[in-house]
Amino acid sequence: MSKSNRAGIPAASALVVANMIGTGVFVSLGYQLLDFHSAPPILFLWLLGGLVALCGALCYAELARHLPKSGGEYHFLGAIYHPSLGFMAGLLSAIAGFAAPTAITALAMGAYLNKALPWIDATAAAAVVIVIGAAAHGLSASTSGRVQVVATTLKLLLITVFLVATCVIPGKGDIRWSFDAAEDLPQVLSPMFAGAAFYVFYAYSGWNAAVYGLEEWNRPERTVKRALVGGTLLVTALYVGLNMAFLKAAPVEALKGKEEVGHVAAQAMFGDQAGQVISGLFATGLFASVSALLWAGPRVLGAMARDLPALRFFYSPGEVPLKALAFQAILALVLVGSSKIDSLMTYTQTGLTLCTFLTVAGLFKIGRGGRIPRITYLPALLFVAVTGFVIVRMFMHGWGPATIGLLTAAVCAGLWFPLQRFSR
């Protein structure tokens, strides 16, 4: 790709932000309120998630400096350890890391749109937005950048307007905001906090989005680092702000156990009709997330097809991996109409978490000989410790799904060997 067609920091940052701000922040609070009864533990939970994501972003930025090729974990794990591990990461990412979240986010957008306009079917709306997003990203890489910048800017403006409105208009929230060590510390140290942290970490996923199309950026080393770190810091501030806004807008009982907490908060703050309008705006904002997933995801499968002749069918010679984009869009459409999407995410999350764990741990392997600044090892240690804990907790919470997820990852890695022989 010519340098004139490459996107820069604004597009890369928009990709990171839009990938991160998906469905998690709009559905998690309702379930957190079932276990936590004051604001401090909840806000600390989201700050902790942001810190872990920031550690991961710093580590991936350093890896991108040493291994400057597109593909994300597929390229990193293949170069650091063995191509079979890279293939495992690529296959898991293509299906569970991008196609399934594309479907889930599109369905969330459809649900919010249905709240605003009840005559619109949520599933049909989800399918339409996937087709529109895929068509837009199929034009050119520069068009993808422009679409993403516009969509993400609109999304951030909508969130900012909502945050400002909740600061100006008196809310109906009744949660305790002051820190009470006797009540709050036991909540933070409880098993429920660890369980809630798992879903918060999932809500922050996407902080690594800029590395998947690394070769498409102008001045990749500088662009990727600024996009990953800057995007993660911005999203952390927005996540904390949104949860504070939701808690200020509506009483705890109204939010508890609800999925569309944004709709509940908007109705409590602005009334039923205005709440419908706000839900429509939230739906519009979620288009940026669908768009970001359709931009980043095909770059993984495109990179795999470039390297492995057995997957040559998915290779597209132009600047846009059209065949990989079509595959992700079609698979997402199938998942939109499937009732198995939650099971798919449950069974594959172990492997995806293992991929990020191994990727960051790879810093210690390539850092021999002083190639990695020592300061980078601190965020790497924290990230490896936390993601390692998450993997252990997956087995403690339910050894069946976690074991199947680990076996799925092993099968994906094993597939590389026959495909490699077939490619000769």
PDB file of all heavy atoms in Angstrom, residues 371-408:
ATOM      1  N   ARG A 371      16.984  -5.848  24.605  1.00  0.00           N
ATOM      2  CA  ARG A 371      16.223  -5.280  23.495  1.00  0.00           C
ATOM      3  C   ARG A 371      14.960  -4.562  23.963  1.00  0.00           C
ATOM      4  O   ARG A 371      14.403  -3.750  23.243  1.00  0.00           O
ATOM      5  CB  ARG A 371      15.834  -6.392  22.510  1.00  0.00           C
ATOM      6  CG  ARG A 371      17.011  -7.074  21.833  1.00  0.00           C
ATOM      7  CD  ARG A 371      16.538  -8.249  21.011  1.00  0.00           C
ATOM      8  NE  ARG A 371      15.626  -7.832  19.948  1.00  0.00           N
ATOM      9  CZ  ARG A 371      14.833  -8.663  19.290  1.00  0.00           C
ATOM     10  NH1 ARG A 371      14.830  -9.954  19.601  1.00  0.00           N
ATOM     11  NH2 ARG A 371      14.049  -8.213  18.334  1.00  0.00           N
ATOM     12  N   ILE A 372      14.487  -4.874  25.161  1.00  0.00           N
ATOM     13  CA  ILE A 372      13.260  -4.284  25.695  1.00  0.00           C
ATOM     14  C   ILE A 372      13.610  -3.369  26.862  1.00  0.00           C
ATOM     15  O   ILE A 372      14.362  -3.767  27.763  1.00  0.00           O
ATOM     16  CB  ILE A 372      12.298  -5.385  26.187  1.00  0.00           C
ATOM     17  CG1 ILE A 372      11.967  -6.355  25.050  1.00  0.00           C
ATOM     18  CG2 ILE A 372      11.025  -4.771  26.750  1.00  0.00           C
ATOM     19  CD1 ILE A 372      11.167  -5.757  23.925  1.00  0.00           C
ATOM     20  N   PRO A 373      13.110  -2.131  26.896  1.00  0.00           N
ATOM     21  CA  PRO A 373      13.358  -1.249  28.046  1.00  0.00           C
ATOM     22  C   PRO A 373      12.864  -1.892  29.345  1.00  0.00           C
ATOM     23  O   PRO A 373      11.775  -2.481  29.369  1.00  0.00           O
ATOM     24  CB  PRO A 373      12.539   0.004  27.707  1.00  0.00           C
ATOM     25  CG  PRO A 373      12.375  -0.025  26.228  1.00  0.00           C
ATOM     26  CD  PRO A 373      12.316  -1.470  25.849  1.00  0.00           C
ATOM     27  N   ARG A 374      13.648  -1.795  30.386  1.00  0.00           N
ATOM     28  CA  ARG A 374      13.293  -2.459  31.645  1.00  0.00           C
ATOM     29  C   ARG A 374      11.965  -1.986  32.205  1.00  0.00           C
ATOM     30  O   ARG A 374      11.249  -2.755  32.849  1.00  0.00           O
ATOM     31  CB  ARG A 374      14.406  -2.216  32.674  1.00  0.00           C
ATOM     32  CG  ARG A 374      15.701  -2.964  32.364  1.00  0.00           C
ATOM     33  CD  ARG A 374      16.706  -2.790  33.485  1.00  0.00           C
ATOM     34  NE  ARG A 374      17.935  -3.546  33.214  1.00  0.00           N
ATOM     35  CZ  ARG A 374      18.974  -3.578  34.039  1.00  0.00           C
ATOM     36  NH1 ARG A 374      18.926  -2.902  35.191  1.00  0.00           N
ATOM     37  NH2 ARG A 374      20.043  -4.292  33.723  1.00  0.00           N
ATOM     38  N   ILE A 375      11.625  -0.732  31.958  1.00  0.00           N
ATOM     39  CA  ILE A 375      10.374  -0.184  32.496  1.00  0.00           C
ATOM     40  C   ILE A 375       9.172  -0.922  31.945  1.00  0.00           C
ATOM     41  O   ILE A 375       8.109  -1.002  32.578  1.00  0.00           O
ATOM     42  CB  ILE A 375      10.281   1.336  32.172  1.00  0.00           C
ATOM     43  CG1 ILE A 375       9.112   1.965  32.949  1.00  0.00           C
ATOM     44  CG2 ILE A 375      10.146   1.564  30.690  1.00  0.00           C
ATOM     45  CD1 ILE A 375       9.306   1.985  34.432  1.00  0.00           C
ATOM     46  N   THR A 376       9.311  -1.531  30.748  1.00  0.00           N
ATOM     47  CA  THR A 376       8.194  -2.243  30.122  1.00  0.00           C
ATOM     48  C   THR A 376       7.865  -3.533  30.870  1.00  0.00           C
ATOM     49  O   THR A 376       6.741  -4.035  30.782  1.00  0.00           O
ATOM     50  CB  THR A 376       8.520  -2.569  28.648  1.00  0.00           C
ATOM     51  OG1 THR A 376       8.920  -1.374  27.979  1.00  0.00           O
ATOM     52  CG2 THR A 376       7.313  -3.152  27.924  1.00  0.00           C
ATOM     53  N   TYR A 377       8.831  -4.069  31.606  1.00  0.00           N
ATOM     54  CA  TYR A 377       8.591  -5.327  32.305  1.00  0.00           C
ATOM     55  C   TYR A 377       7.569  -5.169  33.444  1.00  0.00           C
ATOM     56  O   TYR A 377       6.903  -6.141  33.806  1.00  0.00           O
ATOM     57  CB  TYR A 377       9.898  -5.883  32.874  1.00  0.00           C
ATOM     58  CG  TYR A 377      10.843  -6.388  31.810  1.00  0.00           C
ATOM     59  CD1 TYR A 377      12.160  -5.972  31.755  1.00  0.00           C
ATOM     60  CD2 TYR A 377      10.400  -7.288  30.845  1.00  0.00           C
ATOM     61  CE1 TYR A 377      13.025  -6.437  30.767  1.00  0.00           C
ATOM     62  CE2 TYR A 377      11.255  -7.762  29.861  1.00  0.00           C
ATOM     63  CZ  TYR A 377      12.564  -7.332  29.827  1.00  0.00           C
ATOM     64  OH  TYR A 377      13.416  -7.798  28.845  1.00  0.00           O
ATOM     65  N   LEU A 378       7.445  -3.981  34.001  1.00  0.00           N
ATOM     66  CA  LEU A 378       6.487  -3.777  35.098  1.00  0.00           C
ATOM     67  C   LEU A 378       5.045  -3.966  34.628  1.00  0.00           C
ATOM     68  O   LEU A 378       4.305  -4.775  35.216  1.00  0.00           O
ATOM     69  CB  LEU A 378       6.692  -2.387  35.722  1.00  0.00           C
ATOM     70  CG  LEU A 378       5.772  -2.051  36.898  1.00  0.00           C
ATOM     71  CD1 LEU A 378       5.981  -3.051  38.034  1.00  0.00           C
ATOM     72  CD2 LEU A 378       6.034  -0.625  37.387  1.00  0.00           C
ATOM     73  N   PRO A 379       4.590  -3.256  33.569  1.00  0.00           N
ATOM     74  CA  PRO A 379       3.228  -3.532  33.087  1.00  0.00           C
ATOM     75  C   PRO A 379       3.071  -4.955  32.568  1.00  0.00           C
ATOM     76  O   PRO A 379       1.983  -5.537  32.685  1.00  0.00           O
ATOM     77  CB  PRO A 379       3.021  -2.503  31.968  1.00  0.00           C
ATOM     78  CG  PRO A 379       4.374  -2.044  31.582  1.00  0.00           C
ATOM     79  CD  PRO A 379       5.202  -2.143  32.818  1.00  0.00           C
ATOM     80  N   ALA A 380       4.151  -5.533  32.023  1.00  0.00           N
ATOM     81  CA  ALA A 380       4.064  -6.912  31.534  1.00  0.00           C
ATOM     82  C   ALA A 380       3.806  -7.885  32.688  1.00  0.00           C
ATOM     83  O   ALA A 380       2.969  -8.793  32.579  1.00  0.00           O
ATOM     84  CB  ALA A 380       5.344  -7.288  30.799  1.00  0.00           C
ATOM     85  N   LEU A 381       4.512  -7.688  33.805  1.00  0.00           N
ATOM     86  CA  LEU A 381       4.318  -8.559  34.971  1.00  0.00           C
ATOM     87  C   LEU A 381       2.896  -8.445  35.515  1.00  0.00           C
ATOM     88  O   LEU A 381       2.264  -9.454  35.846  1.00  0.00           O
ATOM     89  CB  LEU A 381       5.329  -8.202  36.059  1.00  0.00           C
ATOM     90  CG  LEU A 381       6.756  -8.707  35.855  1.00  0.00           C
ATOM     91  CD1 LEU A 381       7.693  -8.077  36.879  1.00  0.00           C
ATOM     92  CD2 LEU A 381       6.793 -10.235  35.966  1.00  0.00           C
ATOM     93  N   LEU A 382       2.386  -7.216  35.591  1.00  0.00           N
ATOM     94  CA  LEU A 382       1.031  -7.017  36.112  1.00  0.00           C
ATOM     95  C   LEU A 382       0.004  -7.665  35.184  1.00  0.00           C
ATOM     96  O   LEU A 382      -0.915  -8.359  35.645  1.00  0.00           O
ATOM     97  CB  LEU A 382       0.739  -5.521  36.261  1.00  0.00           C
ATOM     98  CG  LEU A 382      -0.667  -5.170  36.773  1.00  0.00           C
ATOM     99  CD1 LEU A 382      -0.900  -5.796  38.145  1.00  0.00           C
ATOM    100  CD2 LEU A 382      -0.845  -3.652  36.849  1.00  0.00           C
ATOM    101  N   PHE A 383       0.180  -7.472  33.877  1.00  0.00           N
ATOM    102  CA  PHE A 383      -0.775  -8.035  32.927  1.00  0.00           C
ATOM    103  C   PHE A 383      -0.756  -9.558  32.965  1.00  0.00           C
ATOM    104  O   PHE A 383      -1.815 -10.207  32.976  1.00  0.00           O
ATOM    105  CB  PHE A 383      -0.461  -7.550  31.509  1.00  0.00           C
ATOM    106  CG  PHE A 383      -1.486  -7.954  30.488  1.00  0.00           C
ATOM    107  CD1 PHE A 383      -2.585  -7.152  30.246  1.00  0.00           C
ATOM    108  CD2 PHE A 383      -1.356  -9.140  29.780  1.00  0.00           C
ATOM    109  CE1 PHE A 383      -3.550  -7.531  29.310  1.00  0.00           C
ATOM    110  CE2 PHE A 383      -2.305  -9.524  28.850  1.00  0.00           C
ATOM    111  CZ  PHE A 383      -3.405  -8.709  28.610  1.00  0.00           C
ATOM    112  N   VAL A 384       0.434 -10.155  32.984  1.00  0.00           N
ATOM    113  CA  VAL A 384       0.551 -11.612  33.022  1.00  0.00           C
ATOM    114  C   VAL A 384      -0.060 -12.161  34.309  1.00  0.00           C
ATOM    115  O   VAL A 384      -0.753 -13.194  34.299  1.00  0.00           O
ATOM    116  CB  VAL A 384       2.032 -12.026  32.893  1.00  0.00           C
ATOM    117  CG1 VAL A 384       2.221 -13.494  33.260  1.00  0.00           C
ATOM    118  CG2 VAL A 384       2.525 -11.784  31.469  1.00  0.00           C
ATOM    119  N   ALA A 385       0.169 -11.478  35.430  1.00  0.00           N
ATOM    120  CA  ALA A 385      -0.381 -11.936  36.705  1.00  0.00           C
ATOM    121  C   ALA A 385      -1.908 -11.910  36.693  1.00  0.00           C
ATOM    122  O   ALA A 385      -2.568 -12.873  37.117  1.00  0.00           O
ATOM    123  CB  ALA A 385       0.153 -11.069  37.845  1.00  0.00           C
ATOM    124  N   VAL A 386      -2.487 -10.818  36.194  1.00  0.00           N
ATOM    125  CA  VAL A 386      -3.944 -10.679  36.207  1.00  0.00           C
ATOM    126  C   VAL A 386      -4.594 -11.647  35.218  1.00  0.00           C
ATOM    127  O   VAL A 386      -5.578 -12.322  35.549  1.00  0.00           O
ATOM    128  CB  VAL A 386      -4.354  -9.223  35.889  1.00  0.00           C
ATOM    129  CG1 VAL A 386      -5.867  -9.127  35.712  1.00  0.00           C
ATOM    130  CG2 VAL A 386      -3.897  -8.303  37.013  1.00  0.00           C
ATOM    131  N   THR A 387      -4.066 -11.726  33.982  1.00  0.00           N
ATOM    132  CA  THR A 387      -4.667 -12.640  33.011  1.00  0.00           C
ATOM    133  C   THR A 387      -4.463 -14.096  33.415  1.00  0.00           C
ATOM    134  O   THR A 387      -5.332 -14.942  33.165  1.00  0.00           O
ATOM    135  CB  THR A 387      -4.092 -12.408  31.595  1.00  0.00           C
ATOM    136  OG1 THR A 387      -2.661 -12.436  31.638  1.00  0.00           O
ATOM    137  CG2 THR A 387      -4.550 -11.091  31.028  1.00  0.00           C
ATOM    138  N   GLY A 388      -3.345 -14.392  34.071  1.00  0.00           N
ATOM    139  CA  GLY A 388      -3.149 -15.737  34.598  1.00  0.00           C
ATOM    140  C   GLY A 388      -4.183 -16.071  35.652  1.00  0.00           C
ATOM    141  O   GLY A 388      -4.742 -17.182  35.678  1.00  0.00           O
ATOM    142  N   PHE A 389      -4.481 -15.094  36.507  1.00  0.00           N
ATOM    143  CA  PHE A 389      -5.519 -15.282  37.519  1.00  0.00           C
ATOM    144  C   PHE A 389      -6.881 -15.510  36.864  1.00  0.00           C
ATOM    145  O   PHE A 389      -7.670 -16.355  37.316  1.00  0.00           O
ATOM    146  CB  PHE A 389      -5.577 -14.065  38.436  1.00  0.00           C
ATOM    147  CG  PHE A 389      -6.797 -14.012  39.310  1.00  0.00           C
ATOM    148  CD1 PHE A 389      -6.906 -14.833  40.420  1.00  0.00           C
ATOM    149  CD2 PHE A 389      -7.845 -13.151  39.016  1.00  0.00           C
ATOM    150  CE1 PHE A 389      -8.033 -14.787  41.219  1.00  0.00           C
ATOM    151  CE2 PHE A 389      -8.975 -13.106  39.805  1.00  0.00           C
ATOM    152  CZ  PHE A 389      -9.075 -13.929  40.915  1.00  0.00           C
ATOM    153  N   VAL A 390      -7.162 -14.753  35.802  1.00  0.00           N
ATOM    154  CA  VAL A 390      -8.440 -14.894  35.100  1.00  0.00           C
ATOM    155  C   VAL A 390      -8.585 -16.299  34.521  1.00  0.00           C
ATOM    156  O   VAL A 390      -9.655 -16.923  34.609  1.00  0.00           O
ATOM    157  CB  VAL A 390      -8.568 -13.833  33.989  1.00  0.00           C
ATOM    158  CG1 VAL A 390      -9.747 -14.145  33.064  1.00  0.00           C
ATOM    159  CG2 VAL A 390      -8.737 -12.451  34.589  1.00  0.00           C
ATOM    160  N   ILE A 391      -7.507 -16.824  33.938  1.00  0.00           N
ATOM    161  CA  ILE A 391      -7.555 -18.178  33.372  1.00  0.00           C
ATOM    162  C   ILE A 391      -7.807 -19.209  34.468  1.00  0.00           C
ATOM    163  O   ILE A 391      -8.636 -20.123  34.311  1.00  0.00           O
ATOM    164  CB  ILE A 391      -6.247 -18.493  32.624  1.00  0.00           C
ATOM    165  CG1 ILE A 391      -6.123 -17.606  31.380  1.00  0.00           C
ATOM    166  CG2 ILE A 391      -6.202 -19.969  32.220  1.00  0.00           C
ATOM    167  CD1 ILE A 391      -4.782 -17.710  30.678  1.00  0.00           C
ATOM    168  N   VAL A 392      -7.121 -19.066  35.607  1.00  0.00           N
ATOM    169  CA  VAL A 392      -7.331 -19.984  36.727  1.00  0.00           C
ATOM    170  C   VAL A 392      -8.768 -19.908  37.217  1.00  0.00           C
ATOM    171  O   VAL A 392      -9.412 -20.933  37.493  1.00  0.00           O
ATOM    172  CB  VAL A 392      -6.353 -19.663  37.876  1.00  0.00           C
ATOM    173  CG1 VAL A 392      -6.719 -20.459  39.132  1.00  0.00           C
ATOM    174  CG2 VAL A 392      -4.923 -19.975  37.461  1.00  0.00           C
ATOM    175  N   ARG A 393      -9.296 -18.683  37.292  1.00  0.00           N
ATOM    176  CA  ARG A 393     -10.662 -18.514  37.771  1.00  0.00           C
ATOM    177  C   ARG A 393     -11.681 -19.135  36.810  1.00  0.00           C
ATOM    178  O   ARG A 393     -12.737 -19.609  37.224  1.00  0.00           O
ATOM    179  CB  ARG A 393     -10.977 -17.031  37.971  1.00  0.00           C
ATOM    180  CG  ARG A 393     -12.269 -16.855  38.760  1.00  0.00           C
ATOM    181  CD  ARG A 393     -12.871 -15.486  38.630  1.00  0.00           C
ATOM    182  NE  ARG A 393     -14.198 -15.518  39.194  1.00  0.00           N
ATOM    183  CZ  ARG A 393     -15.286 -15.936  38.550  1.00  0.00           C
ATOM    184  NH1 ARG A 393     -15.191 -16.362  37.315  1.00  0.00           N
ATOM    185  NH2 ARG A 393     -16.465 -15.934  39.143  1.00  0.00           N
ATOM    186  N   MET A 394     -11.375 -19.123  35.520  1.00  0.00           N
ATOM    187  CA  MET A 394     -12.267 -19.770  34.551  1.00  0.00           C
ATOM    188  C   MET A 394     -12.458 -21.240  34.896  1.00  0.00           C
ATOM    189  O   MET A 394     -13.576 -21.773  34.826  1.00  0.00           O
ATOM    190  CB  MET A 394     -11.695 -19.638  33.142  1.00  0.00           C
ATOM    191  CG  MET A 394     -11.796 -18.256  32.535  1.00  0.00           C
ATOM    192  SD  MET A 394     -11.032 -18.232  30.892  1.00  0.00           S
ATOM    193  CE  MET A 394     -11.244 -16.510  30.463  1.00  0.00           C
ATOM    194  N   PHE A 395     -11.365 -21.899  35.288  1.00  0.00           N
ATOM    195  CA  PHE A 395     -11.455 -23.312  35.663  1.00  0.00           C
ATOM    196  C   PHE A 395     -12.165 -23.482  36.996  1.00  0.00           C
ATOM    197  O   PHE A 395     -12.901 -24.460  37.191  1.00  0.00           O
ATOM    198  CB  PHE A 395     -10.054 -23.920  35.711  1.00  0.00           C
ATOM    199  CG  PHE A 395      -9.477 -24.228  34.366  1.00  0.00           C
ATOM    200  CD1 PHE A 395      -8.681 -23.292  33.714  1.00  0.00           C
ATOM    201  CD2 PHE A 395      -9.736 -25.432  33.738  1.00  0.00           C
ATOM    202  CE1 PHE A 395      -8.144 -23.561  32.472  1.00  0.00           C
ATOM    203  CE2 PHE A 395      -9.202 -25.716  32.487  1.00  0.00           C
ATOM    204  CZ  PHE A 395      -8.404 -24.775  31.845  1.00  0.00           C
ATOM    205  N   MET A 396     -11.971 -22.552  37.923  1.00  0.00           N
ATOM    206  CA  MET A 396     -12.644 -22.640  39.214  1.00  0.00           C
ATOM    207  C   MET A 396     -14.134 -22.407  39.066  1.00  0.00           C
ATOM    208  O   MET A 396     -14.950 -23.028  39.750  1.00  0.00           O
ATOM    209  CB  MET A 396     -12.037 -21.620  40.183  1.00  0.00           C
ATOM    210  CG  MET A 396     -10.591 -21.904  40.564  1.00  0.00           C
ATOM    211  SD  MET A 396      -9.856 -20.571  41.554  1.00  0.00           S
ATOM    212  CE  MET A 396     -10.919 -20.598  42.991  1.00  0.00           C
ATOM    213  N   HIS A 397     -14.502 -21.492  38.173  1.00  0.00           N
ATOM    214  CA  HIS A 397     -15.917 -21.150  37.981  1.00  0.00           C
ATOM    215  C   HIS A 397     -16.663 -22.271  37.274  1.00  0.00           C
ATOM    216  O   HIS A 397     -17.820 -22.565  37.583  1.00  0.00           O
ATOM    217  CB  HIS A 397     -16.026 -19.852  37.181  1.00  0.00           C
ATOM    218  CG  HIS A 397     -17.437 -19.421  36.940  1.00  0.00           C
ATOM    219  ND1 HIS A 397     -18.258 -18.955  37.950  1.00  0.00           N
ATOM    220  CD2 HIS A 397     -18.178 -19.381  35.803  1.00  0.00           C
ATOM    221  CE1 HIS A 397     -19.441 -18.652  37.441  1.00  0.00           C
ATOM    222  NE2 HIS A 397     -19.419 -18.893  36.150  1.00  0.00           N
ATOM    223  N   GLY A 398     -16.025 -22.899  36.308  1.00  0.00           N
ATOM    224  CA  GLY A 398     -16.655 -23.997  35.577  1.00  0.00           C
ATOM    225  C   GLY A 398     -15.601 -24.711  34.763  1.00  0.00           C
ATOM    226  O   GLY A 398     -15.218 -24.246  33.696  1.00  0.00           O
ATOM    227  N   TRP A 399     -15.109 -25.835  35.302  1.00  0.00           N
ATOM    228  CA  TRP A 399     -13.994 -26.503  34.652  1.00  0.00           C
ATOM    229  C   TRP A 399     -14.392 -27.065  33.285  1.00  0.00           C
ATOM    230  O   TRP A 399     -13.549 -27.196  32.395  1.00  0.00           O
ATOM    231  CB  TRP A 399     -13.452 -27.616  35.543  1.00  0.00           C
ATOM    232  CG  TRP A 399     -14.416 -28.757  35.764  1.00  0.00           C
ATOM    233  CD1 TRP A 399     -15.322 -28.881  36.765  1.00  0.00           C
ATOM    234  CD2 TRP A 399     -14.558 -29.914  34.932  1.00  0.00           C
ATOM    235  NE1 TRP A 399     -16.035 -30.038  36.617  1.00  0.00           N
ATOM    236  CE2 TRP A 399     -15.589 -30.696  35.500  1.00  0.00           C
ATOM    237  CE3 TRP A 399     -13.939 -30.360  33.773  1.00  0.00           C
ATOM    238  CZ2 TRP A 399     -16.011 -31.903  34.945  1.00  0.00           C
ATOM    239  CZ3 TRP A 399     -14.355 -31.562  33.206  1.00  0.00           C
ATOM    240  CH2 TRP A 399     -15.378 -32.320  33.791  1.00  0.00           C
ATOM    241  N   GLY A 400     -15.667 -27.391  33.095  1.00  0.00           N
ATOM    242  CA  GLY A 400     -16.117 -27.957  31.830  1.00  0.00           C
ATOM    243  C   GLY A 400     -15.903 -27.023  30.646  1.00  0.00           C
ATOM    244  O   GLY A 400     -15.148 -27.350  29.707  1.00  0.00           O
ATOM    245  N   PRO A 401     -16.544 -25.816  30.651  1.00  0.00           N
ATOM    246  CA  PRO A 401     -16.350 -24.876  29.542  1.00  0.00           C
ATOM    247  C   PRO A 401     -14.895 -24.457  29.371  1.00  0.00           C
ATOM    248  O   PRO A 401     -14.420 -24.321  28.239  1.00  0.00           O
ATOM    249  CB  PRO A 401     -17.231 -23.685  29.945  1.00  0.00           C
ATOM    250  CG  PRO A 401     -18.256 -24.258  30.848  1.00  0.00           C
ATOM    251  CD  PRO A 401     -17.570 -25.348  31.592  1.00  0.00           C
ATOM    252  N   ALA A 402     -14.187 -24.255  30.496  1.00  0.00           N
ATOM    253  CA  ALA A 402     -12.785 -23.832  30.404  1.00  0.00           C
ATOM    254  C   ALA A 402     -11.921 -24.924  29.772  1.00  0.00           C
ATOM    255  O   ALA A 402     -11.049 -24.645  28.946  1.00  0.00           O
ATOM    256  CB  ALA A 402     -12.255 -23.481  31.789  1.00  0.00           C
ATOM    257  N   THR A 403     -12.176 -26.185  30.150  1.00  0.00           N
ATOM    258  CA  THR A 403     -11.412 -27.289  29.580  1.00  0.00           C
ATOM    259  C   THR A 403     -11.693 -27.436  28.093  1.00  0.00           C
ATOM    260  O   THR A 403     -10.773 -27.636  27.282  1.00  0.00           O
ATOM    261  CB  THR A 403     -11.755 -28.608  30.303  1.00  0.00           C
ATOM    262  OG1 THR A 403     -11.466 -28.463  31.698  1.00  0.00           O
ATOM    263  CG2 THR A 403     -10.952 -29.765  29.735  1.00  0.00           C
ATOM    264  N   ILE A 404     -12.971 -27.339  27.722  1.00  0.00           N
ATOM    265  CA  ILE A 404     -13.332 -27.421  26.307  1.00  0.00           C
ATOM    266  C   ILE A 404     -12.686 -26.272  25.533  1.00  0.00           C
ATOM    267  O   ILE A 404     -12.210 -26.445  24.407  1.00  0.00           O
ATOM    268  CB  ILE A 404     -14.864 -27.412  26.139  1.00  0.00           C
ATOM    269  CG1 ILE A 404     -15.468 -28.684  26.726  1.00  0.00           C
ATOM    270  CG2 ILE A 404     -15.244 -27.286  24.657  1.00  0.00           C
ATOM    271  CD1 ILE A 404     -16.973 -28.708  26.738  1.00  0.00           C
ATOM    272  N   GLY A 405     -12.659 -25.088  26.160  1.00  0.00           N
ATOM    273  CA  GLY A 405     -12.020 -23.944  25.515  1.00  0.00           C
ATOM    274  C   GLY A 405     -10.540 -24.168  25.287  1.00  0.00           C
ATOM    275  O   GLY A 405     -10.009 -23.826  24.223  1.00  0.00           O
ATOM    276  N   LEU A 406      -9.874 -24.764  26.291  1.00  0.00           N
ATOM    277  CA  LEU A 406      -8.446 -25.048  26.164  1.00  0.00           C
ATOM    278  C   LEU A 406      -8.199 -26.127  25.104  1.00  0.00           C
ATOM    279  O   LEU A 406      -7.250 -26.025  24.311  1.00  0.00           O
ATOM    280  CB  LEU A 406      -7.904 -25.503  27.520  1.00  0.00           C
ATOM    281  CG  LEU A 406      -6.397 -25.324  27.752  1.00  0.00           C
ATOM    282  CD1 LEU A 406      -5.995 -23.874  27.616  1.00  0.00           C
ATOM    283  CD2 LEU A 406      -6.020 -25.864  29.126  1.00  0.00           C
ATOM    284  N   LEU A 407      -9.059 -27.143  25.066  1.00  0.00           N
ATOM    285  CA  LEU A 407      -8.934 -28.187  24.053  1.00  0.00           C
ATOM    286  C   LEU A 407      -9.185 -27.627  22.652  1.00  0.00           C
ATOM    287  O   LEU A 407      -8.524 -28.024  21.681  1.00  0.00           O
ATOM    288  CB  LEU A 407      -9.917 -29.321  24.343  1.00  0.00           C
ATOM    289  CG  LEU A 407      -9.596 -30.194  25.570  1.00  0.00           C
ATOM    290  CD1 LEU A 407     -10.721 -31.186  25.839  1.00  0.00           C
ATOM    291  CD2 LEU A 407      -8.276 -30.936  25.363  1.00  0.00           C
ATOM    292  N   THR A 408     -10.138 -26.681  22.548  1.00  0.00           N
ATOM    293  CA  THR A 408     -10.405 -26.029  21.262  1.00  0.00           C
ATOM    294  C   THR A 408      -9.163 -25.297  20.775  1.00  0.00           C
ATOM    295  O   THR A 408      -8.804 -25.364  19.592  1.00  0.00           O
ATOM    296  CB  THR A 408     -11.578 -25.049  21.390  1.00  0.00           C
ATOM    297  OG1 THR A 408     -12.743 -25.750  21.841  1.00  0.00           O
ATOM    298  CG2 THR A 408     -11.879 -24.381  20.045  1.00  0.00           C
TER     299      THR A 408
END
